[in-house]
Every structure is written in structure tokens, then in C-alpha cells.
Amino acid sequence: MAFGRGGKMDGRRPSSSSSSFCTTTTVVVFVALCLVGAWMMTSSTVFPLEISSNKKPVVKQQPAPVNFGTSEDAASGNTGEGSGKFEDTDNNDTTVPEELTNNEAPEKEKSTENMAEKPEEKLEEKEPAPPNEKEETKDMFDDANGKSEGRSDDVKNDNDGDKKDENTNESGDEKPDGERKDDQEEKSEGDATQEEQPQIEEKVEETGEKEQSSNSNEVFPDGAQSELLKESNAQNGSFTTQAAESKNEKEVQASSKSSGDETSYSWKLCNSSASTDYIPCLDNVKAIKKLRSTKHYEHRERHCPEEPPTCLVPLPEGYKRPIEWPKSRDKVWYSNVPHTKLAEYKGHQNWVKVSGDYLLFPGGGTQFKNGALHYIDTIQQALPDIAWGKRSRVILDVGCGVASFGGYMFDRDVLTMSFAPKDEHEAQVQFALERGIPAISAVMGTKRLPYPSRVFDVIHCARCRVPWHIEGGMLLLELNRLLRPGGYFVWSATPVYQKLPEDVEIWNAMSILTKSMCWKMVNKTKDKLNQVGMAIYQKPMDNNCYEKRSENSPPLCKESDAADAAWNVPLEACMHKLPVGPTVRGAKWPESWPQRLNKTPFWVDGSQVGVYGKPANEDFEADNAHWKRVVSKSYLNGMGIDWSKVRNVMDMRAVYGG
């Protein structure tokens, strides 16, 4: 009505009272419209998520300049990349600037009406999402039933819309170059402020999120609250969560690098059901769920994620500095490996026991309850040619348990590589490594073990729970690949010394299999103290037996099958031919220890090119001399480390092992 009367009075000289009335009415209506627009902007329920980015230019195009007193104010007033947060409207000036003319009022009203119409159109097409969904969807993957899938097209379209809106004003026109530059400068300031804020690593409960959204007038949370929403999305499985968190971490790191601050990395803790025992390649729940079968222990094999997670495995509560060698062989801190199942299941076999703050390792095992040393010496007495620490230096222990066999082999100058699966016998390998004994998590399943061919002098199995005799002896044939020609397989299990029907059946099957593989049983003996028995087999030194077999079973492997290929190679029930020739590795037994350490192997000669480009034999000698000098002059005396208390070290680039 006021605008109508004003229109009729055009062309006539208004009276002072009518002019004052029109001016007052116009100002009141305009202020009311501004208040309605401000209320619509501050409400978190009026606009659906899809058009929240359209409000970005409205907030930034305030006629009156805003002065930011602190960096925190700048962070809350500017939009950082990927944060999706806006200035708190409580701090906005809702008064009308004096410079605003009456002609601008219809434009403001028109833009407000357009913004009010957009949510209605969107609501017909799609349900409105909660305000924090876009923030989480941006960096998270869909995780139904623990499966991680790619981003949806809707999210991509929303992101594209955000980019377009950054370069357009509220009426849909393209922004001038000057305004674009100002927006970019504001964004960069916002990013710098965000990088200074500490990352929050705790997860937020759903109730906390509801309280936060109800108490805040912001369209999106800012700063630390934005980080909390990223962490609040509960997901099933191990690596699914890690994939999302790793992506966030990499974006944060990339942002830090672009700003020139490369020392501000902050790593989040891995959020996995495995907790302190998390191993990415063994706890990849997403990959394990996709396995067609677990009959051959496929779920215990390595399934490494395509994108390695960038997070830190948390320490157990109360973690202490590990006990030093040699005391660590006999006891470790319980708080460092807080698992008791093995103590409950195997305590009577002297595997491990809990005593106060310690886990004690009496040196026993299923087959050597009265101590590993007696058992080791029994093997030596049964077969003197095994010559611990001289002829036999490097051995493999299959199904090692807590690795007491390998731990006590040090006393006989023998280096043992132990392995066991990560299974219901929790933390077997973790116990071994905490004690200072070399070990890896692995299983005899469907793939080769990660070693080249013909490298172990002896392979040992004491009740290792491996069905060697089934499926054409495929698993035993893998040991045949790893064993040096002339090497020994020591098998200590119930089929060797018990007469139960099942044991007799297994023993007969093993006898047939080992004979067809040309393995010779050199001794079968009993350990009276431990009341167990063992059978010792020897692998042939040449191919004569293979050629004389009446049946080609198990068959010889194809010539195209590389025996040294080890990584992710499927197992096959076949045998590789033994090497022939004076310069071929494995054609004869290596030097006895310790001469083996310094003498160039017979198969490393000048006809080959070494790792460093010299003839292989010269390369080996130069590398050996180099490390002998460096270790004696620098490592032993110049690093401040008491090496007598260090037992287990990983060499990341061994080359010749110098």
C-alpha cells in the first residue's frame, strides 16, 4: 500500500507529512525484508545442502567492510578449501547502510525470493541432507557392509556446482576479476589459519553432534568442529576407515607443502578393530570379505591395500621401553604385548606365562616342554652331520609359536627365520619380535613364501599344524623349493611317534610323498625327556633320482617357471630341477660358518655384473670390505649404541648382506 500511494503522488509536490510518512514506511519495510533475509541465511533447515554454496557470495558481498581482529576471526569469516564453512551470522551487521538507496531494495527482495524458490525445486527432486553430510561425504567413501566404493555422481555434481558458484554473484552473473581475486586472497588467508589450528583426533558421539548443530547458528562448523565431523562417521572394517582417513591426511600434507610449511604434519592414529595389533596387509577386512573361499587359509595371507594407509598404529596402554637383550628372550613387559590367550592355552607346555608385570618364556614348546635347548641337542645327536653353527647356519622354523626354538638357536650360532600366521593364537609373531627374535607373519596357504629358492640349510616343523600330505603335497613342495640341495627337513609331529588311526594314515601318506620327491629319511628318533619323536629327511644333491622315477608324480615344473620368483606367486604341485654346473648357485654346499661370511660364493664370478656395476666377484668383495670397515669404525663405536643389548635389526637395503 505504501508503494502504491507513493506512485500516485508522483508528479505532485508532496506535503511534509506525507513525505515523512512515505520515507518512514519505506525504511520499515526494507528493514523487515533485511531481517527476513538474515533469518533465512542463518537457519540451518531452510536451505537444503545442495544450494548451501549459493549463499557464499551473499555473505561475502556485504557493502560495509569487515575488520578481522585476530586470525581466529579470519578463519571463521573466510572459506578455506574443502572446509565448507561460513562466517557466523551472529557477527554480521544486520543494520542498513546509509549508502543503500531505495532502488536497491527491489533487487534485494528479488534475490531473496529467488533463493527461497530454489530449495522448493530441489526438495521435489531429492531429500534434503543434514548440514554435516556434505562435509563428511567430501572425503569419505560409502561404506555399506564394510565395502568402500567410489564417490557418487551426485557428490561430484555438487562439487562442480561449488566451483561455479565461487565465480558468480547472487544474481547469477559472473564476478568481476577484482572480486575473484579478493575471494582467492580470503581463501588463502583462511587456509593459513586452518593449518595453524591443531588437529583433533578424537571421535565425536552422535549425541555430541546433535548438541553441536543445535547450539550453533553456522551453516557449517568451522575449524576444529569441521575436523570432528570427519571423524564422526562410523565405518565397518579396518582398511575402509583407513582409506578415508589416509585421503584426508594426504590432502592436509599437500596443503602444508603448498604453504611452504613442511614441518606441520600431524598423523592420526589408525582406527581399526585390530587396534594396537593392526597390520594393513593382514587386517584388510574389505579384501578378506571378497574372498571366495578360506579353505586354504586365504584369509591369513597378505592382502595389501591398493593405497597404503597414512596413520600411526597406537601403542598399547602403559607401553614401556622394551627389555634389552639377552634378558628379553626370557621375559618382556606384559603392557607391551597385553595378550593372555596363549598363556591360558599353552601355559602347561611352557610357551608363555603371566607373572606380575611380565610375560615369562620358559623356553618350552608343544614338542619340547622341558626346554628348547635339550630338544635342539637331541636333533644334533640324532644326526651329527647337521652340525649346528657350522654346516647349518640359516634355518626356517614353520609355525614357530612364540619362537623359542629360534631364540635358543642363537646359543648354537644358528640364525633362524621364524614365521606363523596371525590367527586365533594371538600375537605369536609379536611375542617373538618383542623378545628380539627374527620372525614374520605368514602362512602356508595358496602362495609362495617370500624367499628365493634353495636358501635354507634346514627347515624345521614341530607340530606346525600344516597338512603336508594333501593336494599332491603342494605345501611340502614349497619347502622343497626353499631347501638347499642336500639340506634337511626336521619334522616333529604326532604321526611320527603315535599309532592313532589318523596319525598312521598321515604317516603312510607322508612316506609315499617324500619318496616320490626323492627325499631320503636319514633318521627317525625319539626324545625320551620330552616324550616326542622326530623324522629327519634330506633333499637330493642332483637330478639323478628325478630322472629314474617310474612315475612323474609330483611332476617337474615347467622351464618357464622361475624358482626364485617369490612375491605373490601361486603355489603349484611341482618340483624344480636342481641346478647343474660348477658356477650355478645350489650346485654344491656353501662354505661352513663362519668362513661363509667373508668368502666370495663360488657362484659369484667375473662373468656376471654386480649390483654396483663391477664384475660380480669384485663387487661382492668391495661391498664386504666397505661394510666391515664402516661397521667397525662407525657403527660399533661412533653411534652411542650398546650393540650387545640389541638383537633384532631390520636392514632396509641388504644387497649382499654386508
Side-chain angles (χ1 to χ4, degrees), residues 419-456:
F419 77 89
K422 186 178 183 183
D423 59 8
E424 67 275 6
H425 289 166
E426 59 186 12
Q428 296 178 88
V429 169
Q430 191 174 348
F431 281 133
L433 294 172
E434 185 73 17
R435 298 173 70 187
I437 303 169
I440 62 170
S441 291
V443 66
M444 301 291 296
T446 65
K447 298 177 182 178
R448 289 179 179 177
L449 293 173
Y451 303 105
S453 65
R454 309 184 300 274
V455 291
F456 291 104

Side-chain angles (χ1 to χ4, degrees), residues 362-409:
T366 304
Q367 296 297 93
F368 39 91
K369 301 176 184 178
N370 294 292
L373 273 180
H374 176 82
Y375 174 80
I376 292 168
D377 291 340
T378 299
I379 299 174
Q380 171 84 49
Q381 294 168 6
L383 185 66
D385 288 345
I386 208 165
W388 297 130
K390 295 181 180 178
R391 184 185 190 274
S392 301
R393 165 65 182 178
V394 183
I395 71 175
L396 180 69
D397 187 17
V398 182
C400 64
V402 296
S404 288
F405 178 80
Y408 282 91
M409 269 296 187

